[in-house]
Amino acid sequence: MRWTERQRAMLQAIGVRLFEREAQPAAARPPVRTEPVEVQASTSSARTVPVALEETPGRSQVSLTPSGGLTRSGRSGGVQQTVERVAVVPRPDTSTLDWDALRSAVADCQACALAQSRQRTVFGVGHRQAHWMIVGEAPGEQEDRQGEPFVGTAGQLLDNMLHALGLTRDEAPPERQVFIVNTLKCRPPKNRNPEAAETAQCAPFLERQIALVQPRIILAMGRFAAQALLASDEPLGRLRGRMHQYHGVPVVVTYHPAYLLRSPADKARAWEDLCLAATVVPGG
Ligand code: URA
């Protein structure tokens, strides 16, 4: 890949040493199919949603029980085991919502305890036909206050990473202006990790956002976004570096910008992930 002067400057700004590399043809890395887990809801027929599965090794299944409970089960040593049961309310059916209705549904959501502690919901920002969709974890303190994703220091690094690819969150044509969303629309108290039930409850919003935008590439930033989208419990290190799919949309997994601020040595790897994504959809 050849860098323009602008990209060189941007790469240096995010602390990535330059390297010249030929773009790898997409055909050289066949997409790896990942299978969403199946959720059976009492209010509707079985449907598939992505959920975060953190603790259960191997393949797991999450089921919404008739009483609205959520059962998480998996195989351990060949034996089927139920590992968790938590109460959740029936998930919203977002499958027919337009943008305005979806935004209202997010703003009005009271489905989990995060609604009590949030200041604002964080719906997401960007071009409604963006080629690139960026999926983060959950709002932090500043995002909760401002109602916009990635506005803190991690957001500054994300902006620089996007700029290095010729992408932006500011107004631009859909090949340049990204759409940025989070897996959770509400801030977990004290920025704790999202819980599996919260991720499952919020998944229909993200699902519908992706269906409406129809991005050409999804960049999943961090373990929680990656595991939720791919319905996987694999660690981030095993998920990055290859192409996945979410309902037919290519997905590339990379480090969360907040992690990169703590571990700058991994910025070069993050840049490799962005380059992999750019082999599918070149930046602007
Ligand atoms: N981290 C995220 O994953 N999302 C935000 O919006 C902010 C920080």
Side-chain angles (χ1 to χ4, degrees):
M1 191 176 283
R2 306 234 174 275
W3 311 120
T4 63
E5 282 310 311
R6 184 173 57 92
Q7 285 173 325
R8 285 171 185 277
M10 290 295 182
L11 287 174
Q12 274 159 4
I14 64 172
V16 170
R17 274 192 301 126
L18 291 174
F19 56 93
E20 302 287 343
R21 167 181 111 157
E22 288 303 315
Q24 199 167 13
R29 288 179 184 250
V32 176
R33 270 205 83 76
T34 56
E35 294 178 357
V37 297
E38 197 162 75
V39 169
Q40 312 235 342
S42 57
T43 50
S44 65
S45 55
R47 54 190 178 144
T48 54
V49 296
V51 291
L53 299 167
E54 301 157 66
E55 296 146 8
T56 311
R59 290 171 63 93
S60 310
Q61 183 164 36
V62 174
S63 319
L64 285 176
T65 64
S67 61
L70 183 145
T71 302
R72 186 162 55 163
S73 58
R75 283 197 170 273
S76 174
V79 179
Q80 184 72 22
Q81 291 183 328
T82 295
V83 294
E84 189 182 353
R85 176 181 278 256
V86 290
V88 293
V89 298
R91 297 169 347 114
D93 179 3
T94 58
S95 58
T96 57
L97 299 186
D98 64 15
W99 279 107
D100 287 347
L102 185 61
R103 187 179 283 277
S104 298
V106 168
D108 296 342
C109 184
Q110 297 287 331
C112 76
L114 299 185
Q116 264 71 64
S117 55
R118 75 178 179 224
Q119 289 190 52
R120 300 176 67 165
T121 55
V122 179
F123 181 77
V125 290
H127 201 295
R128 290 181 174 184
Q129 278 100 41
H131 292 190
W132 286 69
M133 193 148 178
I134 315 300
V135 181
E137 180 180 314
E141 188 179 5
Q142 292 194 50
E143 291 79 15
D144 181 50
R145 207 178 300 133
Q146 296 183 37
E148 191 172 324
F150 282 106
V151 288
T153 47
Q156 285 166 19
L157 177 57
L158 173 61
D159 285 343
N160 287 340
M161 292 164 79
L162 295 176
H163 291 162
L165 284 174
L167 302 169
T168 178
R169 75 164 78 200
D170 300 330
E171 208 166 311
E175 61 273 16
R176 290 198 57 231
Q177 186 185 359
V178 301
F179 199 98
I180 307 177
V181 284
N182 279 313
T183 309
L184 294 189
K185 308 307 184 209
C186 298
R187 180 191 181 204
K190 298 184 180 158
N191 296 348
R192 66 157 168 75
N193 290 338
E195 290 174 0
E198 292 161 354
T199 305
Q201 195 68 53
C202 227
F205 296 135
L206 177 60
E207 230 174 16
R208 187 65 186 149
Q209 287 176 309
I210 295 172
L212 286 170
V213 173
Q214 296 188 330
R216 299 182 186 190
I217 183 81
I218 296 173
L219 191 62
M221 308 205 80
R223 170 167 75 100
F224 289 98
Q227 291 182 340
L229 280 171
L230 303 176
S232 168
D233 55 1
E234 284 196 85
L236 186 123
R238 299 254 299 274
L239 292 171
R240 57 168 296 277
R242 59 196 167 104
M243 202 65 76
H244 305 266
Q245 287 201 13
Y246 174 86
H247 295 278
V249 183
V251 177
V252 168
V253 171
T254 193
Y255 298 105
H256 192 283
Y259 165 81
L260 291 174
L261 289 172
R262 296 191 302 272
S263 309
D266 278 329
K267 283 181 180 173
R269 288 205 182 96
W271 180 244
E272 283 178 9
D273 298 331
L274 297 190
C275 291
L276 173 62
T279 63
V280 180
V281 186

